[in-house]
Amino acid sequence: MNTTAAHHPTSVTVPIAALDDFCRAVLSAAGADPATCDAVTRAMLHGSRLGVDSHGVRLLHHYVTVMTGGRVNPRPQMQLASAFGAVASLDAKDGHGALAAYRAMDHAVELAERLGIGAVAIRNSSHFGPAGAFAVAAADKGYIGLAVCNSDSFVRLHDGAQRFHGTNPIACAVPLAESRPWLFDMATSAVPYNRVQLYKSLGWKLPEGVASRASGEDTEDPGEAEMLAPLGGAFGFKGAGLAGLVEILSAVLTGMKLSFDIAPMAGPDFSTPRGLGAFVLAIRPDAFVDIETFERSMRRYVETLRNSPARAGARVLAPGDREWEEADRRAADGVPIDPATQQAFRELASRFGVELPFAGRKAG
Amino acid sequence: MNTTAAHHPTSVTVPIAALDDFCRAVLSAAGADPATCDAVTRAMLHGSRLGVDSHGVRLLHHYVTVMTGGRVNPRPQMQLASAFGAVASLDAKDGHGALAAYRAMDHAVELAERLGIGAVAIRNSSHFGPAGAFAVAAADKGYIGLAVCNSDSFVRLHDGAQRFHGTNPIACAVPLAESRPWLFDMATSAVPYNRVQLYKSLGWKLPEGVASRASGEDTEDPGEAEMLAPLGGAFGFKGAGLAGLVEILSAVLTGMKLSFDIAPMAGPDFSTPRGLGAFVLAIRPDAFVDIETFERSMRRYVETLRNSPARAGARVLAPGDREWEEADRRAADGVPIDPATQQAFRELASRFGVELPFAGRKAG
């Protein structure tokens, strides 16, 4: 679901290769080592390719701020802090969360190759971007991938009146033979926070029960929204419980900060590491069942889903269908870049002497 | 959350030990072997102790029907069908799902003891009862436990107009030092189906957006409800995606039946095995982080949650708090047995020559 104003009429449209080059050049000029440049660009481009613009190249300016400010180490010597059987803990040494998450998932896949399943908990990390990127990294190798991360508090508890959990996403990708993976990437909040910001800028009312005032009471006025509701409406204990599961895997199992102890992503302090944890898991399907059975059943599941009856005027989609369709469009037409991100890119281009990816291009 | 009419004024209240004895005696007389009697009783009593009456001793009559009818093998020779590193597949040989799930979780814990994590996929199984029972079995040994299972179709897709997924529960339990575990057990539907039945019998309107007519349109009339909505309301793609993850782990990874292929739990055919799958996972916390850090962080998380501000007139609870409180009450006062279950117990007592657990007791 496209949750930003990227299709704003004053957006410019930029080819993916040009965006990729620009991000790498800026990150490198900001002091990031090659592995960090590669991982951060790859994660942001996952977002920008699939239409998840909140977690796309919009983040480049923020990442430069935190890597030059001292919050995130642009040249970390990440290392396994411990290893035991099919699990490990990766110490990210305050490096970028995307590098940590790709490294952790690579290791989880290696463990799963040998032992059927592998899990890696990540310590001393930072904002990792779109969780789905790391789940897809496993699925692209034929493994089921799961990635979760907690984040600074934004979401009340069920019946709560305080920001408690982060939006604590859960992403899972499952390989589909000869096709892009089944890809599920959800926040455990009722809506993303940027939806609230978008509705505010558009002057729209929010749907019922997705945001609250400081008292915890629901509000449909995005200007009054002090916190998000957990997924589930009247059954918000489900969304809060899922957020709790993410919290436990990401923060408790790593000894890292609980959501309510994490410094805000948006600053003002950009010099202190935030002590984030995260957790990834990989499963090797043919360790459980022969691969032909797995592939046949997965295909039957997804095809039956796509062909099942829909409500009047609606379409039934498998998780990821909408995003992969958008990725096809953007591979052909380029990625729309909203005016605020254009301006941020101009500043970065000027600051680091890097050529803009949309210089001379017309509005899309 | 108590979702049944167990507190009906004509309920009788029965001590847990008497219920336990009655269930074992009936199951044994119906032909179940000792391991099956033990596992099925233990799982039902998990539900009846914690107030999850939909998955408590109410199921005894159904289980006798399927074990004497041929659907469920009351004396199965369950065996590991395959094993690879930290994972395995258990063939339940059409035995009872509760026995299969306890066996699978025991094996997952053994794997996690040696390798930090263990996962067991279950084949040729049957209805396993309350998913939380098997998660708690892991937590009681100091492990994080996860249990999921798909079931016959009852829940539409997001924007769908057909029963597609089962209520596909997700249960997770996390050990809490010197306390009962954090316990999260949710259906991925917006509400349980028995909530719809309860509202129908009470003549109440359903909450908005939790059930649909055959066309997929929402209805608040429980009499019109043909299917449930997925968790999430306007964001029901999240509940449907979570149900899909359960489906993939339970049915695709085992080669077992997808929800829409599973024969209805309620019959009329009680002689054919239903070919259910399920999936359990255990995580050893101290394979990731020293146990003092894990316990301290888990305690801080749960205590901060319990003490966080609530909406006016409400209470904030951790997952499981309500259920463990109910378990304390029922340990002292006994378990309320609704009139329909009393009648079923009378039939079973008469059929198998077993003494009723509430003979001579007054209404509670």
Side-chain angles (χ1 to χ4, degrees), chain B residues 2-363:
Chain B
N2 195 322
T3 57
T4 75
H7 288 287
H8 192 279
T10 59
S11 289
V12 296
T13 302
V14 180
I16 286 168
L19 270 185
D20 191 289
D21 288 348
F22 181 72
C23 291
R24 284 172 198 273
V26 167
L27 291 165
S28 180
D33 62 23
T36 298
C37 292
D38 188 64
V40 177
T41 300
R42 189 177 159 202
M44 288 191 298
L45 266 290
H46 171 95
S48 287
R49 284 192 303 120
L50 274 67
V52 189
D53 289 308
S54 55
H55 289 69
V57 295
R58 185 183 78 81
L59 292 167
L60 179 63
H61 189 272
H62 172 78
Y63 288 154
V64 167
T65 301
V66 294
M67 288 200 281
T68 54
R71 177 193 283 179
V72 170
N73 180 354
R75 313 182 75 82
Q77 297 295 316
M78 296 186 182
Q79 61 186 43
L80 287 185
S82 67
F84 180 93
V87 311
S89 290
L90 176 74
D91 187 335
K93 302 284 187 184
D94 301 321
H96 196 286
L99 179 59
Y102 280 123
R103 286 255 170 103
M105 188 59 92
D106 282 351
H107 190 63
V109 166
E110 285 172 30
L111 291 167
E113 186 181 2
R114 286 194 289 113
L115 297 162
I117 192 167
V120 179
I122 305 170
R123 302 179 190 167
N124 299 314
S125 191
S126 64
H127 189 265
F128 72 13
F134 318 111
V136 167
D140 283 346
K141 294 178 179 174
Y143 292 73
I144 297 173
L146 181 92
V148 301
C149 183
N150 69 330
S151 52
D152 46 312
S153 292
F154 244 107
V155 187
R156 66 168 171 78
L157 292 162
H158 183 58
D159 285 334
Q162 187 185 50
R163 295 179 176 195
F164 191 82
H165 288 123
T167 52
N168 292 14
I170 298 172
C172 182
V174 181
L176 261 172
E178 294 159 45
S179 177
R180 270 89 54 106
W182 181 93
L183 170 58
F184 179 56
D185 186 356
M186 66 167 257
T188 52
S189 51
V191 287
Y193 186 66
N194 63 18
R195 184 75 54 96
V196 176
Q197 294 173 306
L198 178 65
Y199 276 47
K200 187 174 170 185
S201 71
L202 295 170
W204 292 1
K205 265 178 65 175
L206 289 168
E208 206 180 329
V210 305
S212 299
R213 299 187 188 91
S215 61
E217 283 173 284
D218 288 348
T219 178
E220 293 167 36
D221 175 355
E224 283 189 343
E226 177 59 28
M227 60 191 98
L228 302 174
L231 176 67
F235 304 88
F237 62 92
K238 296 188 181 188
L242 289 166
L245 175 55
V246 171
E247 191 84 18
I248 291 164
L249 294 174
S250 304
V252 178
L253 211 50
T254 58
M256 289 294 111
K257 288 199 173 160
L258 295 162
S259 287
F260 46 76
D261 292 327
I262 298 173
M265 179 178 175
D269 175 5
F270 291 113
S271 63
T272 310
R274 290 165 83 217
L276 291 189
F279 181 88
V280 303
L281 183 139
I283 291 174
R284 180 175 164 168
D286 68 351
F288 290 91
V289 69
D290 66 276
I291 196 68
E292 292 75 21
T293 301
F294 177 81
E295 290 180 351
R296 190 175 55 242
S297 178
M298 191 63 199
R299 178 164 299 281
R300 175 162 151 71
Y301 170 63
V302 172
E303 287 180 355
T304 307
L305 189 160
R306 288 181 182 139
N307 293 318
S308 70
R311 293 180 188 210
R315 240 179 107 196
V316 172
L317 296 171
D321 283 356
R322 188 190 301 273
E323 289 77 11
W324 295 124
E325 283 177 14
E326 183 68 16
D328 286 342
R329 268 192 299 275
R330 292 186 174 198
D333 302 341
V335 175
I337 304 293
D338 65 84
T341 302
Q342 290 171 44
Q343 185 51 35
F345 278 21
R346 282 190 198 97
E347 285 173 29
L348 293 167
S350 161
R351 174 173 172 192
F352 293 113
V354 170
E355 198 182 347
L356 268 176
F358 49 79
R361 285 201 177 79
K362 287 197 307 185

